[in-house]
């Protein structure tokens, strides 16, 4: 799916998410459901009601207007997952038969991911657009790579650096192949001894790439340091602040966010909002503040057009995102639809938070 601004919506495109509307002339709530094919009259109505755009089904990438799918096409995800599996299995076989083509293919996949995200710079990533497979290890690696590249884009990294960052993030957990499977897949909290074994995986991964000269020092450093913490309490070396290479600081944020929002045998996934709040709460301690700020510009727990319940009991529709605080977007209250409330900047909204996304009774548009 991809978010398409109102001026780029075309007749024939299919919605990939519900869009809630409030027509203050008729005082009725309306909704265009996911799967609805847009007509010119629908698009005009969206424009009249100040809806900034809509999420469009990925199959419409070659439809009217030549829309480019975003951020990542399914076939590229499949190619990435397949290649990650090949490289990880190569590690698992003690690298007796190093196939450099797998490494080269992974680098090319990183370049494709960077190109896809560069062409959709205004896209805000949602968890639905990242999750594709049940296999946690490989899907997690892809999700971390996409998020890391998005953060890098927000931080102004050059294209060549983004290629390296994407490759580094794809491979960040390869060292886990050296950890006994019964520990990695244990459906319960690890013992102290087991966690000490798991903590070896960044070093194992970096050693693999260095030993076989499969990556440069910048990539190896990112693999080695993605579990370091900004306050010096991480592992394996207890590095602090800018002692941690930039790739490690970026992947650290992406890694934690993707892990929190993923289902595991021993816990349910956190909501995007809860995961974002956790990341924000760790800014300056676990995470680099500058990296967190860049991250916040690229995630979207409450997409434009979604319906939310506020802590004061009001129901509202999200009309615009807030770059620096995605948990506090601009919303239109259904009880007073002529007014748009900025949950981040309006003084009257300082005490109001979004409790959850919700569904409401609607009429046909």
């Amino acid at each position: 799916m991809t978010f398409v601004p109102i001026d780029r919506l075309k007749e024939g495109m299919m919605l990939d998410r519900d869009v809630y509307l409030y027509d203050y002339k008729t005082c009725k709530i309306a909704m265009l459901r996911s799967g609805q094919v847009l007509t010119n009259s629908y698009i005009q109505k969206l424009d009249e009601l100040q809806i900034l755009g809509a999420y469009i089904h990925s199959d419409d990438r070659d439809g009217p207007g030549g829309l480019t799918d975003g951020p990542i096409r399914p076939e590229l995800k499949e190619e990435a997952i397949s290649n990650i599996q090949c490289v990880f299995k190569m590690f698992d076989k003690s690298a007796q038969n190093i196939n450099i083509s797998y490494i080269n293919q992974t680098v090319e996949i990183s370049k494709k991911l960077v190109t896809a995200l560069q062409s959709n710079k205004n896209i805000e990533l949602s968890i639905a657009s990242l999750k594709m497979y049940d296999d946690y290890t490989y899907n997690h690696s892809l999700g971390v790579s996409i998020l890391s590249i998005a953060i890098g884009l927000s931080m102004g990294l050059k294209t060549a650096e983004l290629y390296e960052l994407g490759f580094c993030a794809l491979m960040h957990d390869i060292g886990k192949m050296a950890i006994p499977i019964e520990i990695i897949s244990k459906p319960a909290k690890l013992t102290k001894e087991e966690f000490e074994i798991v903590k070896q995986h960044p070093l194992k991964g970096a050693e693999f790439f260095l030993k076989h000269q499969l990556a440069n020092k910048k990539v190896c450093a990112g693999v080695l340091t993605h579990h370091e913490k900004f306050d010096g309490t991480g592992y394996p070396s207890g590095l602090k602040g800018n002692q941690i290479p930039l790739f490690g600081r970026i992947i650290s944020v992406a890694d934690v966010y993707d892990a929190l929002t993923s289902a595991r045998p021993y816990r349910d996934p956190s909501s995007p909002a809860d995961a974002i709040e956790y990341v924000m709460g760790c800014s300056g301690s676990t995470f680099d503040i500058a990296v967190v700020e860049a991250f916040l510009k690229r995630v979207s727990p409450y997409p434009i057009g979604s319906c939310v319940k506020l802590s004061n009991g009001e129901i509202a529709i999200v009309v615009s995102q807030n770059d620096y605080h995605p948990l506090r977007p601009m919303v239109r209250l259904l009880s007073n639809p002529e007014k748009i409330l900025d949950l981040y900047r309006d003084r009257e909204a300082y005490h109001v938070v979004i409790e959850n996304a919700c569904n409401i009774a609607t009429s046909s548009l």
Side-chain angles (χ1 to χ4, degrees):
M1 79 185 82
T2 183
F3 181 78
V4 182
I6 188 68
D7 60 352
R8 291 187 60 202
L9 291 176
K10 304 292 183 182
E11 187 172 31
M13 289 180 174
M14 182 184 295
L15 291 177
D16 208 42
R17 283 185 175 163
D18 297 341
V19 178
Y20 286 90
L21 312 166
Y22 188 91
D23 190 335
Y24 53 85
K25 293 180 180 178
T26 63
C27 298
K28 290 183 178 180
I29 302 167
M31 180 174 68
L32 291 176
R33 290 196 175 276
S34 175
Q36 174 70 55
V37 177
L38 291 178
T39 64
N40 285 330
S41 61
Y42 284 155
I43 296 170
Q44 182 179 354
K45 191 69 173 178
L46 292 172
D47 193 24
E48 290 175 355
L49 297 178
Q50 300 179 39
I51 299 298
L52 300 183
Y55 285 86
I56 298 299
H57 195 270
S58 59
D59 287 347
D60 290 340
R61 59 180 174 268
D62 298 319
L67 174 66
T68 300
D69 182 31
I72 308 299
R73 294 185 180 186
E75 56 266 30
L76 177 53
K77 290 184 180 181
E78 291 170 1
E79 181 184 2
I81 292 292
S82 176
N83 195 257
I84 293 168
Q85 289 174 325
C86 288
V87 177
F88 277 38
K89 288 176 181 177
M90 185 171 67
F91 179 102
D92 195 32
K93 294 177 180 178
S94 300
Q96 294 173 352
N97 295 302
I98 295 293
N99 189 337
I100 193 66
S101 67
Y102 290 148
I103 300 298
N104 292 336
Q105 288 169 17
T106 308
V107 173
E108 290 304 311
I109 287 169
S110 174
K111 291 180 179 180
K112 292 179 182 178
L113 293 173
V114 170
T115 299
L117 288 167
Q118 282 180 327
S119 64
N120 292 275
K121 289 185 177 180
N122 294 323
I123 290 297
E124 292 161 334
L125 297 175
S126 67
I127 284 303
S129 69
L130 297 179
K131 306 303 179 188
M132 186 177 178
Y133 294 86
D134 291 332
D135 192 310
Y136 174 75
T137 299
Y138 306 126
N139 188 52
H140 172 68
S141 296
L142 176 58
V144 171
S145 182
I146 294 171
L147 286 166
S148 296
I149 293 169
I151 293 170
L153 278 167
S154 289
M155 297 185 75
L157 268 61
K158 296 179 180 179
T159 299
E161 293 177 297
L162 293 171
Y163 291 162
E164 293 176 326
L165 174 61
F167 173 70
C168 182
L170 284 170
M171 296 289 101
H172 79 282
D173 266 348
I174 192 171
K176 285 187 176 179
M177 299 302 289
I179 309 300
I181 187 63
E182 59 269 21
I183 294 180
I184 292 296
S185 60
K186 184 179 179 180
K189 186 177 180 179
L190 298 179
T191 66
K192 182 178 179 180
E193 293 75 19
E194 289 170 336
F195 185 56
E196 288 302 315
I197 294 174
V198 170
K199 286 166 64 174
Q200 298 174 14
H201 80 270
L203 181 59
K204 297 288 187 182
E207 286 178 342
F208 172 74
F209 283 110
L210 282 172
K211 177 181 178 181
H212 300 285
Q213 298 181 332
L214 299 175
N216 63 32
K217 290 183 179 180
K218 184 184 292 187
V219 169
C220 293
V223 171
L224 178 64
T225 61
H226 72 274
H227 279 295
E228 299 288 357
K229 296 182 179 180
F230 207 64
D231 60 5
T233 61
Y235 64 85
S237 301
L239 300 180
K240 186 176 182 179
N242 290 335
Q243 291 177 333
I244 307 168
L246 180 59
F247 284 7
R249 282 179 273 145
I250 290 174
I251 294 173
S252 174
V253 172
D255 181 40
V256 168
Y257 180 73
D258 190 85
L260 287 174
T261 53
S262 298
R264 305 299 289 126
Y266 49 88
R267 62 163 174 79
D268 292 330
S270 298
S271 70
D274 287 344
I276 290 170
E277 189 168 0
Y278 177 86
V279 170
M280 292 173 63
C282 293
S283 180
S285 54
T286 300
F287 307 125
D288 182 347
I289 294 173
V291 174
V292 172
E293 289 178 349
F295 164 78
L296 293 176
K297 295 177 182 178
R298 302 307 299 244
V299 293
S300 176
Y302 304 113
I304 293 172
S306 59
C307 185
V308 294
K309 182 180 179 181
L310 305 181
S311 58
N312 60 4
E314 294 273 9
I315 303 298
I317 296 169
V318 176
V319 297
S320 181
Q321 298 292 345
N322 193 313
D323 283 348
Y324 295 97
H325 205 314
L327 300 180
R328 303 187 70 81
M330 296 175 68
V331 300
R332 186 187 300 277
L333 298 180
L334 298 189
S335 63
N336 184 18
E338 294 187 7
K339 178 179 175 55
I340 293 178
L341 186 65
D342 188 331
L343 296 178
Y344 181 63
R345 294 181 177 86
D346 289 355
R347 187 180 299 275
E348 62 186 286
Y350 284 174
H351 66 290
V352 179
V353 297
I354 294 177
E355 289 189 342
N356 54 262
C358 63
N359 292 311
I360 52 177
T362 63
S363 63
S364 58
L365 187 64

